[in-house]
Amino acid sequence: MAEAEIWDEDLCKACGACCDGSLFVQARLAEGEKILPDMEEGFARNERGFSLPCPYFCETCTVYNIRPKICRTFGCDLLAAVKDGKTPYADALQAVARLRTARDALAARLPLAATSVPEAEQQFAMGYRNYPDLAAFQADNAETIAAIKEMQDATRPFTHGTDTAISM
């Protein structure tokens, strides 16, 4: 196995952001593909998939050898940058660590972020409706807003700012 292939597998297993609900709420299934037991089938943007976080992700994939096609073929922008030689492997591991730290900090403020960052951010934003004006909402929630911004900044190497909140 080539060194880049080993890095791919190791980086993905060390990260899991596409599996744990940090980036997406759903993973698409291939045409005719069946989901594994314990996966919750869902539909987003009229695409059949399974809900994230994946029940088989526990700090790493526990069904790695039989994972769905999307899990075998998906590659985030950070992985692509490592493969292309644009990002050193050590820097990629630091980006993974930053993402996990940001997610933990956000989950401390928004518990739903422990299972779905996109859903937690959306639910938080809906809270603005209970405030008389935006300035009051921002003042009362400055630390949570800072945690959301850090999470968004931490995900940028994985997504380059593209809309990834729905499905991979």
Side-chain angles (χ1 to χ4, degrees):
M1 186 179 296
E3 184 173 313
E5 291 172 356
I6 293 170
W7 282 0
D8 290 359
E9 186 173 311
D10 288 348
L11 181 60
C12 290
K13 284 183 175 179
C15 178
C18 59
C19 310
D20 70 7
S22 291
L23 303 176
F24 308 105
V25 296
Q26 177 176 303
R28 288 185 294 257
L29 289 169
E31 183 80 27
E33 186 175 23
K34 294 190 183 332
I35 62 174
L36 297 171
D38 298 324
M39 286 182 164
E40 182 181 322
E41 188 169 14
F43 293 87
R45 293 185 179 168
N46 295 320
E47 295 179 293
R48 186 173 154 264
F50 59 92
S51 298
L52 298 172
C54 177
Y56 294 104
F57 184 79
C58 300
E59 297 301 317
T60 191
C61 181
T62 61
V63 292
Y64 194 79
N65 293 330
I66 60 167
R67 67 199 188 280
K69 182 178 180 180
I70 187 67
C71 304
R72 292 188 311 266
T73 60
F74 178 76
C76 70
D77 291 345
L78 180 64
L79 179 61
V82 170
K83 283 181 171 182
D84 293 345
K86 295 176 183 170
T87 299
Y89 185 70
D91 290 355
L93 290 177
Q94 287 179 345
V96 169
R98 179 182 180 197
L99 180 71
R100 287 186 174 197
T101 299
R103 182 185 172 136
D104 290 346
L106 184 58
R109 301 205 139 291
L110 301 174
L112 180 58
T115 56
S116 177
V117 170
E119 288 179 353
E121 289 177 352
Q122 183 179 25
Q123 184 181 45
F124 174 75
M126 299 289 283
Y128 166 67
R129 294 179 180 177
N130 299 326
Y131 277 78
D133 61 59
L134 180 60
F137 180 77
Q138 289 174 328
D140 287 350
N141 295 285
E143 291 177 8
T144 301
I145 292 168
I148 289 171
K149 182 175 179 346
E150 172 56 20
M151 184 67 192
Q152 291 170 341
D153 289 347
T155 62
R156 198 158 283 115
F158 300 83
T159 64
H160 294 293
T162 58
D163 176 21
T164 59
I166 302 300
S167 63
M168 64 181 212

